[in-house]
Amino acid sequence: MGQTLHRGLVILLITLGMVAAFSTSIMAHPGSGIMVDRRGEIYFVDTGSGVWKIDLHGKLMRLPGPMFHWMTIDSDDCFSTAHLPTGARGEVTRVGTNPTLLVASDFPIAIGSNGNLYYPSYSSGSGLQLMELTPSDRTTVLTNLAAAGGGDLRHLNGLAAGLDGSLYYSEDHAIRRINAQRQVSTVIANLTLPTCVSIPGTSRPMLRGVAADSHGTIYVAASGCGSVLKISGRGQITTLHQLQSPWTPTAVALFGSDIYVLEYLQTAASMEPEDRRAWLPRVRKITADGHTTIIASIDHR
């Protein structure tokens, strides 16, 4: 009896260690969520303290909410009563109303042009799947996702919706597109950049937050290189802004012709051991003529 309990305890500890190692490798990074509502007010996640809002006058205010990683915006409050994803692999919860923000702990989320919520879900039997949740609580598998090079893809770094019904998602070195017919295609793969600064705790280029405009142009935060990138429909890559380490972009949002970038201070000391309160965020605005301005920052805890 004692040997059986001991053996069970050892197996449990090994399993928990494997889960912890997996979780650390995926989650040991600052938040990647920034959204702009119809009025032009800006919201972003702060992994060290919760959710922030920048109003039309530039005033920064903290909203009640958890210290999660990802965010999308429910402009019409369609999911105000829906059962949101929750479980051992993460959860989605609401912040505020009019608009309602949806924030996710462990995976990126996006609301499509059809008003449905999309999020990835991994299991050992099915692999990584992109799920679709309607406001009426109907959940289905949109499509199965394959990793670049045929590997075992277990998570996504970013997820965004296009106005034409497409969805875009980022992996470490690639961006994929899912069209309205649920077909997956590659926008760009095996991405390397001529200028890539060293960001503590990341691989290169570590593509994360992504957004797409009405012309199919893609904007992405290359967190492992400290770069904000623009990718045309033909695959031409332009660096819109290059940060200096240890500052790194984690997410992008579009409003009119302006681009808003969520950036974090990510020092080596804040990564090992992980110290979320040391990840200080700021928001940058990039105008159509390339002018950049820091419009808000959290300078201390």
Side-chain angles (χ1 to χ4, degrees):
M1 179 70 172
Q3 291 180 343
T4 301
L5 287 174
H6 176 73
R7 184 165 57 250
L9 179 60
V10 170
I11 293 173
L12 175 61
L13 290 174
I14 293 173
T15 302
L16 290 174
M18 292 174 64
V19 170
F22 175 77
S23 176
T24 300
S25 65
I26 300 304
M27 300 309 299
H29 53 68
S32 179
I34 184 169
M35 304 298 297
V36 186
D37 69 15
R38 291 166 176 165
R39 297 183 293 265
E41 295 183 313
I42 303 160
Y43 308 84
F44 63 94
V45 296
D46 177 357
T47 324
S49 66
V51 179
W52 294 89
K53 172 183 175 180
I54 308 170
D55 71 12
L56 297 179
H57 303 289
K59 181 181 178 181
L60 185 64
M61 60 188 74
R62 188 179 180 277
L63 303 180
M67 296 182 290
F68 282 179
H69 281 75
W70 285 276
M71 172 190 289
T72 191
I73 189 166
D74 181 13
S75 298
D76 297 316
D77 293 337
C78 294
F79 287 88
S80 59
T81 60
H83 293 87
L84 298 174
T86 185
R89 292 189 176 272
E91 66 174 303
V92 178
T93 191
R94 303 172 187 85
V95 173
T97 57
N98 191 32
T100 299
L101 303 173
L102 302 181
V103 292
S105 61
D106 293 71
F107 44 77
I109 53 177
I111 290 183
S113 59
N114 58 2
N116 294 338
L117 177 67
Y118 297 91
Y119 60 96
S121 177
Y122 177 84
S123 68
S124 57
S126 303
L128 189 65
Q129 299 176 316
L130 192 66
M131 311 302 294
E132 180 180 46
L133 172 65
T134 68
S136 60
D137 279 339
R138 182 172 178 265
T139 302
T140 56
V141 177
L142 182 75
T143 189
N144 294 295
L145 304 176
D152 181 20
L153 183 65
R154 298 197 174 200
H155 67 278
L156 302 183
N157 294 347
L159 181 64
L163 297 179
D164 62 351
S166 297
L167 294 166
Y168 297 85
Y169 65 88
S170 60
E171 304 170 21
D172 289 355
H173 299 82
I175 297 174
R176 319 281 181 187
R177 176 177 180 261
I178 305 172
N179 65 16
Q181 291 72 45
R182 306 187 178 192
Q183 298 168 325
V184 182
S185 60
T186 298
V187 175
I188 195 162
N190 302 316
L191 176 65
T192 58
L193 297 173
T195 301
C196 187
V197 300
S198 177
I199 305 296
T202 66
S203 59
R204 299 180 180 183
M206 184 59 75
L207 303 180
R208 293 193 64 198
V210 60
D213 67 16
S214 58
H215 304 290
T217 301
I218 299 168
Y219 301 84
V220 64
S223 295
C225 288
S227 308
V228 181
L229 306 179
K230 173 183 177 180
I231 304 174
S232 71
R234 297 182 178 180
Q236 180 180 359
I237 302 171
T238 303
T239 299
L240 295 180
H241 190 71
Q242 180 64 53
L243 279 71
Q244 297 299 312
S245 182
W247 283 99
T248 179
T250 64
V252 293
L254 308 178
F255 186 73
S257 60
D258 296 327
I259 305 164
Y260 293 93
V261 184
L262 177 61
E263 304 173 355
Y264 271 90
L265 182 67
Q266 187 169 316
T267 64
S270 70
M271 301 302 293
E272 294 184 7
E274 175 184 329
D275 183 2
R276 294 188 175 199
R277 294 184 62 81
W279 294 334
L280 299 177
R282 67 186 184 188
V283 175
R284 181 184 303 274
K285 178 181 179 180
I286 305 177
T287 60
D289 61 4
H291 181 70
T292 76
T293 308
I294 301 297
I295 61 171
S297 61
I298 308 299
D299 298 323
H300 58 84
R301 300 295 184 195

